[in-house]
Amino acid sequence: MSESEYTCFDVEVADQVAHLVLKRPEKANSMIVEFWQELPHIIEDISASTDARVIMLSAVGRHFCSGMDLSVFGTPEGPVNTAQAGHGSRRRAQFRTGVLRAQETFNVLENSRLPVIAAIQGACVGGAVDMVTACDLRYATSDAFFSIQEINIGMTADVGTLQRMPKLIPEGVVRELAYTGRRMGADEALDRGLVNAVYDDHAAMMDAVGEIAAQIAAKSPMAIWGTKQTMNYSRDHSVADGLEYIATWNAAMFDTDDMGEAFKAQLDKRDPDYPDHSPLSGGPGS
C-alpha cells in the first residue's frame, strides 16, 4: 500500500486499485488552482507505474464536486486567466491556451491505459460533469444530481461536457441540460444511461464500486487496456475503422501467455494470476 498527500486529493494504492478522493468537503470539493495542477500529475503517474490496474475517483462530504472555483479565473497560476492585461489578441490567445490546458486535465482520464471509475454523491456540476464524462464508468447515490452549470453563469461549457456527454446519452437531452442548466437527478441519469447504477447512500456505493474495481483489477491488464483503447477509438470512428483498429491492436498486443494463464486457471479452479503492466517510459519505476 502506498499513500501520497496533495492539497485536493488523498491518494491510496492498494490491491492494484488506485483510489483518488477529493478531500475539500468544506468547499464542496471545488476545483481550485491546485486541483488543475494535481489531477493530471496523479493520473499520469499512476498510469505509468505498475502498481495499479484500475482507478477509483470519489469524494468526501455532502457533494462530489461543485465545479471550477471562481477564483481560478483571475489567478495567473490557474488554467484559465481572464485578468491578463495588454493587447486583445494576446489576451485571447492566452485564454485559448488556458482552456486547452484545462481540457488536458480531463483528457488524461480518457487517455489513461487504466479504467477510471467515478463514484458520485450530491452535486456534480460544471467542471465536475466535464470530469466524470471523461471517466469510463459512473455510479451515483440517490441524492446525486448533475448540472451543466456554465450556462447559469453566462458561459458555454468548454472543458469536455458538450463533446463527451452526447456520446453517452441522447443529444436532445444534452442540449436541454446545456440550454437550461437544470439539474438532472440520479434516477434520470440512470434512465438516460449516464450512470451505471444508483445506491441508497455513500457507503453502499463505495462498497459496490470497490467490488467492481476489484473485478476489473483481476483481469488481464493488457486485455483491459486494449478494450478501453478500442472502445475509445470506435466511439469516434466508423465501424469499419474500428474493426481495422482492433485487428492491428491485437496483432501487436495480443498476449498468448495471458490467455494460457486464463485457461490454466479455469482447469485448476483458481483465479488467474496475470503479470502487472510494464512501466511506461518516463513513468515511476522506469
Side-chain angles (χ1 to χ4, degrees):
M1 178 184 297
S2 62
E3 295 187 5
S4 299
E5 285 295 326
Y6 297 89
T7 299
C8 297
F9 297 92
D10 282 329
V11 182
E12 180 180 356
V13 181
D15 299 325
Q16 299 173 319
V17 176
H19 190 185
L20 281 65
V21 183
L22 289 158
K23 63 172 186 178
R24 299 177 60 252
E26 72 284 359
K27 298 295 184 181
N29 295 308
S30 64
M31 298 169 168
I32 58 175
V33 169
E34 289 84 353
F35 171 94
W36 300 94
Q37 299 166 347
E38 290 175 358
L39 181 62
H41 171 77
I42 295 168
I43 296 296
E44 288 175 347
D45 273 4
I46 291 171
S47 300
S49 75
T50 64
D51 297 333
R53 298 183 183 182
V54 61
I55 298 170
M56 289 172 51
L57 177 62
S58 71
V60 294
R62 179 180 176 186
H63 297 297
F64 175 74
C65 180
S66 59
M68 186 181 291
D69 194 277
L70 294 181
S71 65
V72 170
F73 286 100
T75 304
E77 295 79 13
V80 180
N81 181 11
T82 59
Q84 307 98 328
H87 292 275
S89 62
R90 275 70 168 180
R91 293 196 305 273
R92 292 187 291 272
Q94 188 170 357
F95 184 90
R96 178 179 180 274
T97 299
V99 171
L100 292 174
R101 187 164 58 246
Q103 291 172 357
E104 189 59 29
T105 298
F106 300 143
N107 290 346
V108 298
L109 299 169
E110 191 170 75
N111 294 334
S112 169
R113 61 178 172 176
L114 308 182
V116 183
I117 307 174
I120 304 154
Q121 81 277 7
C124 179
V125 302
V129 179
D130 295 312
M131 178 167 61
V132 301
T133 54
C135 297
D136 295 88
L137 304 172
R138 288 156 295 278
Y139 298 86
T141 56
S142 58
D143 68 344
F145 62 89
F146 303 81
S147 172
I148 303 177
Q149 179 69 9
E150 288 86 346
I151 198 66
N152 294 328
I153 60 170
M155 67 173 289
T156 301
D158 59 3
V159 194
T161 291
L162 301 183
Q163 292 69 39
R164 293 189 174 100
M165 194 179 254
K167 308 284 188 177
L168 300 171
I169 66 176
E171 182 180 322
V173 177
V174 180
R175 287 176 181 268
E176 179 191 310
L177 294 170
Y179 296 158
T180 67
R182 74 168 178 86
R183 294 181 177 185
M184 178 170 65
D187 288 342
E188 183 183 354
L190 178 62
D191 182 61
R192 301 297 190 185
L194 180 63
V195 300
N196 293 65
V198 173
Y199 301 92
D200 289 338
D201 54 45
H202 188 265
M205 176 178 66
M206 294 310 301
D207 286 345
V209 171
E211 175 59 29
I212 292 163
Q215 292 178 31
I216 295 171
K219 307 301 183 185
S220 160
M222 288 300 296
I224 291 290
W225 185 10
T227 300
K228 175 171 181 172
Q229 192 81 3
T230 301
M231 292 193 72
N232 284 351
Y233 183 90
S234 296
R235 177 197 60 196
D236 299 328
H237 295 78
S238 69
V239 172
D241 289 343
L243 291 170
E244 177 74 17
Y245 185 86
I246 184 53
T248 303
W249 177 275
N250 267 356
M253 300 292 194
F254 176 58
D255 194 318
T256 56
D257 291 333
D258 278 7
M259 177 173 279
E261 168 61 13
F263 286 140
K264 189 173 189 306
Q266 290 177 19
L267 291 173
D268 296 342
K269 300 186 185 306
R270 60 173 175 82
D271 294 330
D273 183 15
Y274 300 111
D276 292 332
H277 277 300
S278 295
L280 294 178
S281 176
S286 62

